[in-house]
Amino acid sequence: MTASLLVQSAVIGLSIGSIYILMALGLTLMFGMMHIINFAHGAVYMLGAYVIYYVFFQSGAPYFVSFVVAMVLLGVFGYLVERSIYRPVKGGIEPTLVALLALTTFLQAAGYPVFGQLDKHVPPVFEGTKNVLGVMVSVERLVIIPIAAALVVGLYLFINKTKMGAAMRAIEQDKEAAALQGVNVHVVNGLAFAIGFALAAASGALMAPIFKLDPMMGEQPLLKAFIIIILGGLGSIPGAIVGGLMLGLIDSIVATALGAEPAFLLSFVFIILVLLFKPTGLFGYAQ
Amino acid sequence: MKRSTGLPYRCVLADCLGNTTERVVEGRHGLAGASRASGEYEGDRRGPPHVIVRANSSARRIAADVIKFGISTPLSGPAAPWGIPHKNATELIFDEVNSQGGLDVGGKKYKLEVIAYDHKYVIAEGVATINRLISKDGVKYISVLGGAVVKANEEPVNEAGVLNLPLAYAEGLVSPKNPLTFHSFPSPPETTVFWKWIKERHPQIKRVATISPNDDTGWWSIKIETTYVEKLGYQIAAKEFFERGLTDFNPILLRMLAQKPDIISVMASPAGSVGLIIKQARELGFKGRFIHVGQVDTSVVANIAGKANVEGMWVHGYVQSPLPEKVKAWQAKYTKKYGEWNATSIDFTNPAFAFVAAVKKAQSLDPKKIADALHSVEFENLWGKAHFGGKDFYGIANQIIYPMPFSEVKDGVATLVAQLTPPHN
């Protein structure tokens, strides 16, 4: 592998890693607070992409307006899911998992009659390519990096600098104690659902012009997001960032050097090795 | 008991009367009429057990007046641009036969009916749908799209003695061990002949890279294609496989493009994946051509990749212009029924054309007799005369042979540039 190819694959790896980070953020936030794995994350990613298709491509609204619409719509949907699924089962982890799995199946199955059987496409929003360190990278992929960074910083500031974020951190540490201190656990959980869903929608909305759209498009990103949050540590936002970047680089550099299959295999070998030495993941801690 | 008149009830009553030739009793009497004819109590709808048995037995006879043809194909997902025209083309040809009174077999008219299921190009779904067609729907003739799906179902299909007219690429699919499988679309051993055409007209192309799905279909397609092109003197610059459903091809393409290919073959890849491969390869700076000697809808590809990026692509089995008169007539019928033209349907008419021709020749509904007829029947498809052959290559004459169309995308339109016959007959 030549040096230029290594640089090229590293730049591609960073752009892939940014996509992975976005997917993993919402997932890890919800796990950190409520200890639930949101199986519907991939389906919400898919819905976010379809919002772009209809609002941006079909209706002609500006892309960033459509992007915000996707986040708001799916955020509200997340809040409603908390009200109608999570809250009625009183936060039971297993029933919530099964209900979210059922929701995923329903959304994917309903996708074909609602959105059509053929793949959809969204025209590129940011056309052309840029030379980065001698590497041609599409502008639409490069744009993901600052947007992902902005969302990560925004989430970090919200969690660490706001009263609602403090309430989230309190619930993460001890739900009962937080409630005794006057934190409205239901409202904060609803907000966590809304943020988690909105972040998944943001990922889908960013990916829509890059890839193609079909009702099952969220499955692969969901798998990657699971790998990342396990690697980075369940519930850890820094873990999602580092895990996402590492997986993106492995996927790109190893696939370029050895092929796609060894890269897929190596990502799992790498996780197993990390978990052998640090069972809670890179940034996770024992509860 | 009010039910519509029609063939089913005529059969019920004929059976109940114990008269298999006289089919003149009016159907509006329905089961009550059947009971009356049998001397049973008219007022009891449930009837005594033997009446129900007779009715059910008649129902089986009713089914015999309809030839059920099963289709297991991807009607959703990335391969749906293949599956939808597969189903539609078969239905449209059967509609025509039915509008002419049905298929005449031994002096009796049969209606043709399509029972189609979506397997999403997922092997497990393919196994489930074919099991259902054979075991539940009682189908004896099927057409399956997708090499990996057909391979996974070889054993049940052979054991059930079902005639299969697939549109699928997989090693060993056309072989003496599958005597009732008649592959109804040109396969890599036939379509690689287009590389010879390219070699003669575009000698500047020297290095070939291939990318294909990581399954039976992809492995066999690439094996045949690379062997053939190497014999022609091309260099294989790269050979890559991808998991179906993959959307980010950048790392694979980076690896491929580092080998500086002149052309990328995307054989056996579905339209959705081809669109993404082309889009991402162009973004990474690839300026050469793409080729798909399997079959792909270049308009779907262009929607994803962008019209300019697809320009110059070569494709087998997909033609938008110029269309021969026979294909134009098909286009009009297809558009009238489905509202939207789909050029993939042109070559996907083969299973239905072959089946109808063979049943007419066999004058039997026995899958083995129809298979025998397929070995000798010559029929018209939309590109000319077709027959099943290829015994010298496959060891059995179960591969469709006809003048295959080859197009080049010019100004966004898949334009017919050649029609070649396979290297074996």
Side-chain angles (χ1 to χ4, degrees):
Chain A
M1 192 178 189
T2 61
S4 69
L5 199 57
L6 182 68
V7 173
Q8 201 167 9
S9 58
V11 173
I12 300 277
L14 283 179
S15 84
I16 295 172
S18 303
I19 298 166
Y20 291 167
I21 291 168
L22 271 185
M23 272 304 287
L25 271 183
L27 205 61
T28 206
L29 176 77
M30 289 175 71
F31 184 87
M33 280 191 60
M34 291 163 279
H35 300 112
I36 55 164
I37 302 262
N38 179 19
F39 284 112
H41 208 68
V44 177
Y45 167 94
M46 174 266 290
L47 292 175
Y50 274 103
V51 171
I52 292 294
Y53 176 79
Y54 287 108
V55 179
F56 164 67
F57 182 41
Q58 295 290 324
S59 306
Y63 176 73
F64 282 107
V65 171
S66 314
F67 182 82
V68 173
V69 169
M71 286 188 74
V72 171
L73 273 181
L74 274 308
V76 171
F77 179 56
Y79 183 76
L80 293 175
V81 169
E82 193 277 338
R83 289 293 303 260
S84 56
I85 292 178
Y86 183 72
R87 204 178 296 184
V89 298
K90 296 184 173 60
I93 293 172
E94 292 85 356
T96 308
L97 288 182
V98 173
L100 288 173
L101 206 54
L103 178 67
T104 305
T105 309
F106 170 77
L107 292 174
Q108 288 176 337
Y112 288 111
V114 173
F115 304 131
Q117 292 167 312
L118 290 176
D119 294 345
K120 297 271 188 293
H121 74 284
V122 173
V125 181
F126 308 99
E127 290 194 72
T129 52
K130 283 260 181 219
N131 192 316
V132 181
L133 301 171
V135 181
M136 297 307 288
V137 185
S138 71
V139 176
E140 57 189 1
R141 278 178 186 255
L142 287 174
V143 166
I144 290 171
I145 299 172
I147 294 177
L151 286 169
V152 168
V153 171
L155 184 66
Y156 178 82
L157 291 176
F158 177 80
I159 288 174
N160 290 289
K161 304 289 180 190
T162 67
K163 199 174 168 184
M164 196 58 89
M168 282 183 168
R169 282 182 283 130
I171 291 175
E172 185 190 354
Q173 286 168 17
D174 192 325
K175 191 166 75 175
E176 282 74 24
L180 285 171
Q181 294 296 317
V183 172
N184 188 332
V185 175
H186 289 318
V187 170
V188 179
N189 281 343
L191 188 66
F193 260 89
I195 294 173
F197 275 48
L199 286 171
S203 315
L206 282 173
M207 293 306 106
I210 298 177
F211 300 137
K212 60 189 174 60
L213 281 63
D214 72 84
M216 308 301 282
M217 65 183 284
E219 285 198 334
Q220 209 182 41
L222 181 67
L223 177 68
K224 292 288 183 189
F226 279 146
I227 295 172
I228 290 162
I229 64 169
I230 291 167
L231 177 66
L234 289 163
S236 164
I237 290 174
I241 297 166
V242 174
L245 286 177
M246 286 176 102
L247 195 66
L249 289 170
I250 289 174
D251 273 5
S252 182
I253 295 172
V254 179
T256 305
L258 304 172
E261 280 177 73
F264 188 66
L265 187 69
L266 200 76
S267 62
F268 284 101
V269 170
F270 182 67
I271 289 165
I272 291 166
L273 285 174
V274 168
L275 295 182
L276 274 176
F277 293 100
K278 197 158 188 316
T280 54
L282 292 171
F283 291 80
Y285 52 87
Q287 294 281 336
Chain B
M1 193 171 175
K2 293 275 182 190
R3 297 180 77 162
S4 63
T5 57
L7 188 60
Y9 288 101
R10 294 164 73 91
C11 296
V12 166
L13 291 176
D15 240 23
C16 292
L17 290 167
N19 183 344
T20 54
T21 53
E22 190 182 347
R23 304 158 73 83
V24 291
V25 184
E26 284 302 319
R28 66 175 178 273
H29 299 299
L31 285 176
S35 302
R36 194 163 53 237
S38 307
E40 300 299 339
Y41 175 50
E42 187 184 339
D44 185 357
R45 278 192 183 183
R46 287 169 298 172
H50 72 274
V51 172
I52 293 172
V53 170
R54 276 172 173 244
N56 287 344
S57 154
S58 301
R60 277 196 293 275
R61 282 217 45 209
I62 295 163
D65 288 345
V66 173
I67 297 174
K68 291 188 285 185
F69 189 90
I71 288 185
S72 174
T73 201
L75 296 172
S76 57
W82 284 329
I84 293 169
H86 176 210
K87 179 182 87 72
N88 288 354
T90 311
E91 279 178 351
L92 190 49
I93 290 168
F94 286 3
D95 282 354
E96 276 198 17
V97 174
N98 290 340
S99 70
Q100 290 158 11
L103 200 54
D104 198 327
V105 183
K108 189 172 163 186
K109 290 281 188 185
Y110 289 85
K111 296 280 181 188
L112 292 163
E113 182 194 336
V114 170
I115 301 175
Y117 293 120
D118 178 15
H119 67 48
K120 301 180 177 71
Y121 220 112
V122 173
I123 292 175
E125 298 265 358
V127 172
T129 55
I130 291 167
N131 273 339
R132 185 170 179 177
L133 283 169
I134 296 172
S135 307
K136 194 175 174 207
D137 300 317
V139 166
K140 293 204 173 297
Y141 329 100
I142 58 173
S143 180
V144 184
L145 192 147
V149 175
V150 179
K151 283 297 281 181
N153 283 286
E154 268 181 335
E155 206 175 302
V157 167
N158 286 339
E159 276 180 11
V162 169
L163 180 77
N164 187 8
L165 295 144
L167 303 170
Y169 292 173
E171 187 160 22
L173 180 66
V174 180
S175 83
K177 71 182 168 87
N178 297 327
L180 297 182
T181 296
F182 288 78
H183 189 237
S184 303
F185 190 72
S187 296
E190 290 79 52
T191 60
T192 41
V193 74
F194 292 113
W195 279 103
K196 200 173 166 193
W197 182 91
I198 293 167
K199 181 87 181 163
E200 287 161 4
R201 286 160 184 78
H202 300 272
Q204 76 282 7
I205 294 174
K206 294 186 183 343
R207 292 174 65 77
V208 179
T210 65
I211 179 165
S212 204
N214 191 14
D215 57 23
D216 278 314
T217 304
W219 302 329
W220 187 57
S221 301
I222 295 299
K223 183 177 155 187
I224 297 288
E225 187 176 43
T226 52
T227 305
Y228 189 84
V229 298
E230 274 179 324
K231 276 185 194 162
L232 286 175
Y234 288 105
Q235 282 178 282
I236 303 300
K239 206 158 46 166
E240 295 290 337
F241 296 96
F242 65 89
E243 297 304 325
R244 286 185 192 272
L246 183 73
T247 50
D248 199 338
F249 291 90
N250 261 329
I252 297 178
L253 289 170
L254 210 53
R255 183 177 159 85
M256 281 178 77
L257 299 186
Q259 303 307 316
K260 311 239 177 289
D262 299 317
I263 187 167
I264 296 177
S265 166
V266 288
M267 193 166 184
S269 307
S273 303
V274 174
L276 290 174
I277 290 169
I278 294 179
K279 182 184 179 195
Q280 292 170 27
R282 294 287 188 226
E283 285 169 357
L284 290 171
F286 180 65
K287 304 262 188 253
R289 288 195 195 235
F290 292 90
I291 181 170
H292 197 309
V293 293
Q295 198 281 343
V296 78
D297 183 330
T298 55
S299 61
V300 173
V301 173
N303 279 342
I304 297 166
K307 189 180 155 190
N309 287 336
V310 182
E311 201 61 16
M313 181 181 183
W314 283 310
V315 61
H316 155 253
Y318 186 80
V319 181
Q320 291 174 299
S321 177
L323 296 178
E325 286 308 314
K326 205 154 90 174
V327 181
K328 275 186 190 163
W330 168 257
Q331 181 184 25
K333 281 184 221 161
Y334 191 98
T335 311
K336 189 179 170 195
K337 177 162 185 184
Y338 299 108
E340 192 180 12
W341 170 232
N342 187 319
T344 299
S345 71
I346 301 170
D347 288 75
F348 285 10
T349 52
N350 293 334
F353 278 138
F355 179 71
V356 170
V359 172
K360 276 183 186 168
K361 176 157 190 183
Q363 285 299 297
S364 168
L365 295 180
D366 179 354
K368 284 182 184 158
K369 288 185 178 161
I370 299 171
D372 288 341
L374 280 168
H375 282 135
S376 57
V377 73
E378 188 177 64
F379 58 97
E380 288 280 335
N381 75 354
L382 294 175
W383 293 113
K385 292 214 177 296
H387 69 277
F388 282 88
K391 191 172 182 182
D392 291 345
F393 185 86
Y394 295 102
I396 190 169
N398 284 21
Q399 169 61 48
I400 200 165
I401 305 287
Y402 63 90
M404 306 170 294
F406 191 57
S407 308
E408 180 177 329
V409 178
K410 294 177 180 173
D411 292 327
V413 177
T415 307
L416 185 68
V417 290
Q419 244 188 296
L420 300 180
T421 47
H424 40 258
N425 194 32

